[in-house]
Amino acid sequence: MTVTEIKRPQELSRLRRLALAAQGLLQNQPYGRGLAGAREAINHLGYVQIDTISVVERAHHHVIHSRVPGFEPHMLNQLLINKDIFEYWSHAAAFLPITDFRFSLPYKNAIKSGQTHWFRSLDKKLMGELLARIRSDGPLRSRDVGTSTIKRAGWWDWKPAKKALEQLYMQGDLMVSDRDGFQKTYDLTERVLPSHVNVQMPSMEEFAAHLVDQQLRCHGFASLKGLTYLRRNAQLRKAVNALVNERLAQGDLERVKVSSGDVFILERGALERPLPRLKERMLILSPFDNSVIQRERLKALFKYDYQLECYVPEAKRQYGYFCLPLLYRDAFVGRMDCKVHRKTSHLEIKNLHFEPHAFDENRVVTAFVEAIVQFCHFQKSDSVALNAVQPEHLTQRLRSALKSLG
């Protein structure tokens, strides 16, 4: 089977545009606005990762904000209550389209059959008691586990009960029916799940087709490794490989190779389709954004070597604790380490680093300042300060521009 080599700059640019357009990062409102736009964004992307780090607005809100004008953080919980989405594990904790519910069943079944997710030792008696309590008394909030009322009942301590709740959730007996920040409300799956949702266990072939179709839809193209990103199911990987080879042989898919040697699979003719034009705008993305989470793909396609350094010892950090990728036109041109001081509604940019690039410096600076205006609004910040910039000669110009925002 032939592989087309991507050699010319315009070919690589077109490949990048395909990837960014598939992620909804080139269009002004690819999924619509507000609540409906957030629902369509999750349906298209396939998942939005949930993360607890709060130095800026949470990652799951940030991902939707980058694509949906008029989005507000409370809308994600509204989608959960409306049963348009559900919460479960993708490659990490995530919000997922309710229409994809059946594809969560293989992992739930594996957990119920003894596969370890978090906990090796299980208190099945306590799990049974919790399940009976929820069945008889209704939904249980995670914050209520270990309260004085429950302690007087004498049937659990906080830590074992929390583990039991999470195990029941991971194996599919419970679902998250509501959220208040990071406090979840659990209820029986049969009471949360809408009656119209397909609950038939997918075959391995159906699961493989779902993953391949989803990844090509939301990324434009994918490597074999990327198609099953962080899924440790050998049978699933085998089924995906077989399906890809079958579609390649039939001529439905083709392969391209970039300068790094990485090979990507895409639908035949995808690179010839009309694509959105590049705009003179910058997007400040979450480190957990769907477009950057596969770091090897990011490096191969955009020549952008990115690591989230909050997991790196402080002495070894190069750019900062929680650097946000900066996307300008079709290139990742920098990263910004920042923190929102919520008591004072202030955004502190601790370190702003621009990579070497071929774009006009003035346009990049203008695009960054415009992006910061939107970012401050999203963060509910009334003021912004800039501590350090690389390259240094941009410092005064940027500080003056940002000062005028206050």
Side-chain angles (χ1 to χ4, degrees):
M1 300 176 188
T2 60
V3 180
T4 302
E5 292 195 33
I6 302 295
K7 294 181 177 180
R8 295 182 297 173
Q10 56 266 41
E11 292 174 332
L12 180 59
S13 178
R14 191 158 185 82
L15 195 64
R16 289 174 171 179
R17 281 171 62 197
L18 175 61
L20 295 171
Q23 278 286 303
L25 294 175
L26 295 185
Q27 309 91 316
N28 287 331
Q29 47 181 49
Y31 314 111
R33 300 179 60 85
L35 186 68
R39 181 181 61 245
E40 291 308 309
I42 296 173
N43 286 341
H44 177 83
L45 295 171
Y47 79 93
V48 171
Q49 184 171 337
I50 300 169
D51 194 72
T52 60
I53 298 174
S54 60
V55 291
V56 295
E57 185 58 78
R58 311 279 186 178
H60 37 290
H61 299 145
H62 194 162
V63 170
I64 304 297
H65 164 77
S66 298
R67 294 161 172 83
V68 180
F71 170 76
E72 297 290 342
H74 70 85
M75 292 177 181
L76 269 181
N77 194 52
Q78 188 60 52
L79 291 176
L80 189 66
I81 294 170
N82 293 350
K83 303 179 181 181
D84 292 316
I85 61 175
F86 74 105
E87 188 173 327
Y88 194 61
W89 201 260
S90 179
H91 71 271
F95 292 116
L96 304 140
I98 197 68
T99 51
D100 289 351
F101 178 81
R102 66 188 295 238
F103 298 105
S104 70
L105 297 177
Y107 194 56
K108 289 173 179 173
N109 188 59
I111 299 295
K112 202 161 192 173
S113 299
Q115 182 173 312
T116 298
H117 182 77
W118 283 307
F119 313 121
R120 293 186 182 277
S121 58
L122 304 175
D123 188 335
K124 293 190 176 182
K125 181 176 182 293
L126 179 55
M127 288 166 60
E129 290 174 344
L130 275 166
L131 206 55
R133 168 72 180 264
I134 293 171
R135 181 172 287 111
S136 63
D137 295 354
L140 179 67
R141 297 180 303 176
S142 55
R143 71 177 65 173
D144 292 334
V145 177
T147 61
S148 58
T149 302
I150 293 177
K151 281 181 180 176
R152 281 199 298 270
W155 34 284
W156 65 62
D157 294 325
W158 184 90
K159 198 169 183 180
K162 178 64 174 173
K163 287 182 179 180
L165 273 177
E166 287 296 310
Q167 180 67 21
L168 288 166
Y169 159 72
M170 287 305 302
Q171 70 184 35
D173 294 301
L174 299 178
M175 289 181 70
V176 176
S177 60
D178 194 4
R179 258 182 177 268
D180 180 9
F182 273 81
Q183 293 294 331
K184 302 182 227 179
T185 298
Y186 297 93
D187 200 356
L188 301 178
T189 292
E190 59 262 33
R191 292 204 293 236
V192 176
L193 201 62
S195 59
H196 63 81
V197 172
N198 188 343
V199 293
Q200 183 178 6
M201 179 74 70
S203 67
M204 201 58 71
E205 291 73 23
E206 287 177 313
F207 200 176
H210 167 71
L211 278 183
V212 171
D213 292 341
Q214 179 197 74
Q215 291 299 298
L216 294 182
R217 179 188 73 237
C218 71
H219 285 301
F221 51 87
S223 65
L224 269 178
K225 184 177 180 180
L227 288 170
T228 54
Y229 178 64
L230 293 187
R231 294 181 184 268
R232 300 179 180 88
N233 186 324
Q235 284 185 305
L236 180 60
R237 289 197 298 268
K238 185 178 179 180
V240 165
N241 289 356
L243 179 60
V244 167
N245 287 332
E246 178 185 336
R247 292 188 182 180
L248 284 167
Q250 291 171 346
D252 298 328
L253 300 178
E254 59 182 319
R255 299 188 297 172
V256 297
K257 183 165 70 172
V258 296
S259 60
S260 63
D262 291 75
V263 175
F264 296 105
I265 299 137
L266 63 161
E267 292 179 355
R268 182 164 295 280
L271 282 173
E272 282 70 55
R273 295 172 188 162
L275 292 170
R277 293 182 178 181
L278 297 173
K279 296 180 175 67
E280 295 293 325
R281 70 167 182 172
M282 184 175 292
L283 290 176
I284 301 168
L285 298 179
S286 167
F288 300 99
D289 194 278
N290 299 48
S291 65
V292 302
I293 199 66
Q294 295 186 35
R295 312 298 195 210
E296 292 178 12
R297 170 193 168 95
L298 184 66
K299 187 175 181 179
L301 183 59
F302 292 96
K303 309 292 190 295
Y304 185 65
D305 192 1
Y306 177 75
Q307 181 182 21
L308 183 55
E309 295 185 342
C310 61
Y311 304 121
V312 174
E314 186 173 358
K316 295 184 178 180
R317 291 175 193 152
Q318 184 177 359
Y319 300 107
Y321 176 80
F322 199 69
C323 277
L324 311 180
L326 304 179
L327 174 67
Y328 175 70
R329 290 176 63 85
D330 67 344
F332 287 89
V333 298
R335 57 200 86 199
M336 178 178 74
D337 183 40
C338 59
K339 177 180 175 62
V340 174
H341 298 273
R342 292 182 175 83
K343 289 184 179 180
T344 55
S345 301
H346 177 70
L347 174 66
E348 178 189 8
I349 303 175
K350 296 183 174 183
N351 184 30
L352 176 62
H353 177 89
F354 287 110
E355 320 281 315
H357 57 76
F359 297 116
D360 180 87
E361 191 174 84
N362 292 326
R363 291 186 175 184
V364 171
V365 167
T366 298
F368 173 75
V369 173
E370 290 173 352
I372 284 293
V373 172
Q374 297 299 320
F375 192 70
C376 283
H377 178 72
F378 173 52
Q379 303 296 334
K380 295 181 170 55
S381 296
D382 301 326
S383 61
V384 57
L386 177 60
N387 296 350
V389 182
Q390 289 294 329
E392 290 183 6
H393 73 267
L394 294 176
T395 304
Q396 194 54 51
R397 189 192 315 180
L398 282 163
R399 281 180 177 164
S400 297
L402 293 175
K403 187 176 180 181
S404 67
L405 301 180

